[in-house]
Amino acid sequence: MTDMMRREKLMNSLATTFSKCALLAGLLLLSGSALAQQGTIQLEHKAEQWESVTDDNGIEQTRLVEAAGVVPGEEVLFTVTYTNVGGQAAEAVVITNPVPDHMSYVNNSATGDNTSITFSVDGGETFGAPQDLLVTDALGAETQAAAKDYSHIRWVVDGDVAAGGSGTVKFTAVVD
Amino acid sequence: MKRKLTTLSIGLIGLGIAPLCMAEGTIAGTDIDNTAAVSYEVGGTPQTTTSNTLTLTVAEVLDVDVTLLSGPVSVPSGTGPHGLLFVVTNTGNGTEEFSLAINNAVGGDDFEPEASTPAAIYFDTDGSGDFSAGDTAYVPGDNDPVLAPDASVDVLLVNDIPADLADGAIGLSELGAVAATGSGDPGDLFPGDGDDGVDAVVGTSGADDVIAGQYVISDIELAVVKSATVLDPFGGSSPMPGAEITYRIVITPTGSETAVNTVITDPIPANTTYSSESISLNGGALTDDDTDADADPGAGNRRGPRRPDRSERRPDH
C-alpha cells in the first residue's frame, strides 16, 4: 500500500514535469526554429550558390555549393523541403517565404512541383499572380509590379500531403 | 527616438552618404535572415510551422575607383608646382582605408613631371580644385583616407615641370589607390579581414585603381625688337637738339600659349623728353591718361618729365 502510494505520487510528479516540458516545448515551437521539426510537417530550408569550376578537361562547369558569405549582386537559390512526418494526411498545405531583406526576387525563379505560386507586394497581406500585382510608382501611378517589388512568395500545394510525403519548393534571390 | 533617427538620417544625407540606398549594394556585415513558414490542416485542425532560419552574412567587397577631374593642364617649362585633380571613391560596400601613390615614370609621354617636395600628394582640403595653401599633404601610413561605401575624397598630385621642354610636349603623372585590406584579382578572398570580421572579397576593380593626368607644355616666347627713326628740324634724320625720335617696339610671340597681362615698359632715354599723347598700339592712338577711357585696345602711362614744347620726342608704342 505504501509502495502503491509512493508510486502514484511519483507518477503525478512525472506527469507534472511532463506537462511543464510540453508547455515549454510549445513555447519554443512558437518562438522559432530550434524545434521546428516538432510539427506534423517539417520544413527544412537551405541556401545555395552556383560556383564555377573548371574540370580536368578544362571545361567550365557550375555546381551548387552551400551559401555562406555573399556579396551584392550574387544570386542565392533557396530550397524549402516540406515533409509530413505525422501519421495523417495534411491538407491545405501552404508554404510562405518572405523575400529576405537586402535581397530581390529573381523573375520566374520560383518553382515547386504540384504547387500554385503567387506573390505578394504588400508584405504578405495579399497574394496574386504577377500580372495582377500593382505597385504605385514615384509619380503616384499604379503600374504592374516587377520582380524586385515582391515581398513574399507563396506556394499552395495541390491536394493533400500524405503521411510520409514530401516535396520541395525553390526560388532565387539576388543580394541587393 | 523617432526624432533621433530622423536627425541621424538627415546627418548622413548631409555627409553625402545615403544610408539605405547604396549604389554599391548591401553594406558589409549585414545579416540576411530567411525563414519559411507552412500552414496546413490535419483532421480539420489548422497548424503552422516555421523552418530553420538561414543567415547569410554579406561579405565586404573591396573596390576603388580613381577618376581624373583635371583636363590636360597647360604648363610652361621650368615652372611649378602644378596640381592635377583626382577623385578617389570607395566603390565597395564596406568602410575601407586606401593607400595612395604617385607614379611619374609612365610610358608613352614626352617628359617626366617631377614630384614636388616635400609632398606630391595632397588632399584638396579647401575644395578649391587646385593646389593651394589650405590643402593637406598626404603622409602614407599616417593619414590614409578612410572612406565609407560610396564616399570619396578629392586628391591632388603636385608636380614641378622640368625646364627647356618643347612646346606641346606631354608629361603624365599617375595616381594610384589600393584598398588596405587587400587587392588582387576579382574574387580573391581575405577571410575574416572585412568590416566586423566578415570575409573580404576583391571586387571587379581588383581593389586597385590608377589613372594618369596630363601636363602639356604650352610656352610662349615674346621676341622684342626695338627700332628708332629720327626726324630733325631740317627734314633730315640727324639726331640733334630738337629732332624727334620715333621708337618702334615690335613684339612677336612664338608658341601655343596666349600671353596675358603683358606689360611693356620702355624708359625714356636720357637727354630726351617724351612727346605728349604720342603713344600708339597697333596703329591706334593711346592717351597718356592712366585710366585710359579710349576705345583703343590698351592703355599707356606717361613716364618721365613732360614739357609742352615742340622739342618733345615721340616714342611710338
Side-chain angles (χ1 to χ4, degrees), chain A residues 32-33 36 40-41 43-47 67-72 78 88 90-98 100-103 176, chain B residues 24-26 30 32-44 47 49-54 56-59 61 93 201:
Chain A
S33 61
T40 301
I41 287 192
L43 287 186
E44 193 201 331
H45 209 325
K46 68 176 173 182
V70 293
V71 297
F78 292 101
Q88 287 179 268
E91 300 152 6
V93 177
V94 177
I95 297 155
T96 306
N97 200 133
D101 288 347
H102 309 292
M103 296 192 88
D176 292 335
Chain B
E24 299 309 325
T26 307
T30 303
I32 298 177
D33 291 335
N34 190 12
T35 309
V38 62
S39 67
Y40 55 98
E41 292 178 9
V42 175
Q47 300 189 39
T49 303
T50 55
S51 73
N52 52 312
T53 296
L54 291 170
L56 302 171
T57 302
V58 177
V61 179
N93 67 340
V201 183

Side-chain angles (χ1 to χ4, degrees), chain B:
Chain B
M1 191 62 188
K2 194 169 188 180
R3 176 171 293 176
K4 254 184 182 172
L5 283 172
T6 307
T7 310
L8 178 67
S9 57
I10 289 169
L12 289 171
I13 291 163
L15 288 169
I17 303 161
L20 294 175
C21 186
M22 302 305 301
E24 299 309 325
T26 307
I27 299 296
T30 303
D31 281 339
I32 298 177
D33 291 335
N34 190 12
T35 309
V38 62
S39 67
Y40 55 98
E41 292 178 9
V42 175
T45 308
Q47 300 189 39
T48 59
T49 303
T50 55
S51 73
N52 52 312
T53 296
L54 291 170
T55 301
L56 302 171
T57 302
V58 177
E60 181 178 353
V61 179
L62 303 168
D63 261 329
V64 65
D65 176 76
V66 182
T67 296
L68 175 69
L69 298 181
S70 301
V73 175
S74 295
V75 289
S77 286
T79 61
H82 294 286
L84 290 168
L85 183 64
F86 300 79
V87 59
V88 176
T89 305
N90 177 6
T91 50
N93 67 340
T95 298
E96 185 61 28
E97 183 176 295
F98 296 93
S99 60
L100 308 176
I102 182 173
N103 172 32
N104 287 340
V106 185
D109 59 358
D110 304 315
F111 70 92
E112 311 300 358
E114 293 163 352
S116 289
T117 53
I121 305 177
Y122 283 81
F123 299 108
D124 187 21
T125 315
D126 62 1
S128 66
D130 203 351
F131 180 48
S132 44
D135 296 334
T136 307
Y138 166 66
V139 182
D142 184 44
N143 61 351
D144 292 309
V146 176
L147 300 175
D150 282 2
S152 61
V153 62
D154 287 350
V155 175
L156 291 155
L157 291 186
V158 181
N159 290 288
D160 295 317
I161 306 303
D164 301 326
L165 294 167
D167 188 63
I170 288 171
L172 300 177
S173 182
E174 279 182 347
L175 174 65
V178 182
T181 300
S183 59
D185 293 328
D188 283 358
L189 188 68
F190 296 92
D193 288 347
D195 289 355
D196 301 327
V198 300
D199 291 349
V201 183
V202 174
T204 52
S205 69
D208 182 351
D209 197 20
V210 62
I211 196 158
Q214 198 180 78
Y215 294 105
V216 180
I217 301 301
S218 303
D219 277 348
I220 183 163
E221 297 281 340
L222 296 182
V224 182
V225 177
K226 185 174 178 180
S227 58
T229 53
V230 179
L231 180 62
D232 67 38
F234 309 105
S237 59
S238 301
M240 61 179 69
E244 261 192 0
I245 307 171
T246 301
Y247 293 100
R248 180 182 174 86
I249 299 166
V250 176
I251 295 163
T252 308
T254 53
S256 59
E257 190 57 277
T258 301
V260 295
N261 299 326
T262 305
V263 177
I264 300 155
T265 306
D266 195 21
I268 294 168
N271 301 313
T272 68
T273 304
Y274 171 66
S275 294
S276 68
E277 306 294 338
S278 67
I279 53 175
S280 67
L281 176 66
N282 293 332
L286 296 180
T287 67
D288 290 348
D289 195 341
D290 268 3
T291 56
D292 195 340
D294 294 346
D296 53 35
N301 296 335
R302 184 176 61 80
R303 304 277 186 233
R306 180 168 185 262
R307 271 204 316 235
D309 70 20
R310 296 284 296 164
S311 63
E312 280 179 352
R313 280 82 177 172
R314 298 177 64 87
D316 190 355
H317 199 134

